[in-house]
Amino acid sequence: MGGNAWRDTRPYQRDLEAAFRQAQEEELARDNHGFEGRSLEELWRDPDWQEYILTGGTGTVLDFPCMIEGTDTDNGPFMRLLTDDEVRAWAPHGRPTYAEWDAALHSERLGFPGRAEGNCTVLYRDGRPVQIAYWGVTAD
């Protein structure tokens, strides 16, 4: 089986890790996938949740226990922030808009990561950060 690609955007916050956690909390409140009444930390300590994620996943930011820097080469189910060079490969000015991100994904100038991996980057409007884009592929 192959993983399923997904994408999402959320409002920008200066603290990208806090924004990621907030996106996860909002997603968990919207759909707990049958794991009622548990925090994110409790879920990631639960072998049943880990199996659920690694044999299918949610197709959301919930599929990752944490965010890592773009230069981090660790394997695992992580949300990875793109490096500046990776962003400039499809948005040469370094401040991509939603339209540029969307077009890059559709044209494959910006690819989806491998199975059980996610990427994120900041999106801009009129030169100001307004959104964080998240995209990834489930583990299944």
Side-chain angles (χ1 to χ4, degrees), residues 4 11-12 20 34 38 69-70 78 87 100 102 119 122 128 138:
N4 295 310
Y12 173 77
F20 175 65
R38 299 191 203 166
E69 291 296 320
F78 299 120
V87 171
E100 289 172 315
D102 185 55
N119 287 334
V122 175
R128 299 179 63 187
T138 59

Side-chain angles (χ1 to χ4, degrees), residues 29-100:
R30 191 182 70 71
D31 184 353
N32 64 32
H33 299 272
F35 290 83
E36 187 81 31
R38 299 191 203 166
S39 70
L40 290 166
E41 292 76 22
E42 290 169 325
L43 286 174
W44 278 103
R45 287 192 302 264
D46 183 340
D48 290 337
W49 175 260
Q50 293 173 24
E51 181 178 351
Y52 180 74
I53 295 300
L54 296 176
T55 60
T58 67
T60 72
V61 292
L62 292 175
D63 291 350
F64 310 100
C66 64
M67 178 186 286
I68 61 174
E69 291 296 320
T71 55
D72 195 330
T73 59
D74 287 344
N75 291 328
F78 299 120
M79 178 61 66
R80 188 180 69 81
L81 180 64
L82 292 186
T83 65
D84 288 340
D85 287 343
E86 288 172 315
V87 171
R88 288 181 186 282
W90 53 275
H93 49 79
R95 291 182 176 248
T97 64
Y98 177 90
E100 289 172 315

Side-chain angles (χ1 to χ4, degrees), residues 1-40:
M1 291 179 119
N4 295 310
W6 61 271
R7 52 191 257 162
D8 190 16
T9 59
R10 301 291 173 119
Y12 173 77
Q13 292 180 35
R14 183 180 304 250
D15 183 337
L16 298 179
E17 180 70 30
F20 175 65
R21 285 289 177 219
Q22 182 175 344
Q24 288 183 305
E25 294 290 345
E26 290 169 359
E27 188 62 37
L28 186 60
R30 191 182 70 71
D31 184 353
N32 64 32
H33 299 272
F35 290 83
E36 187 81 31
R38 299 191 203 166
S39 70
L40 290 166

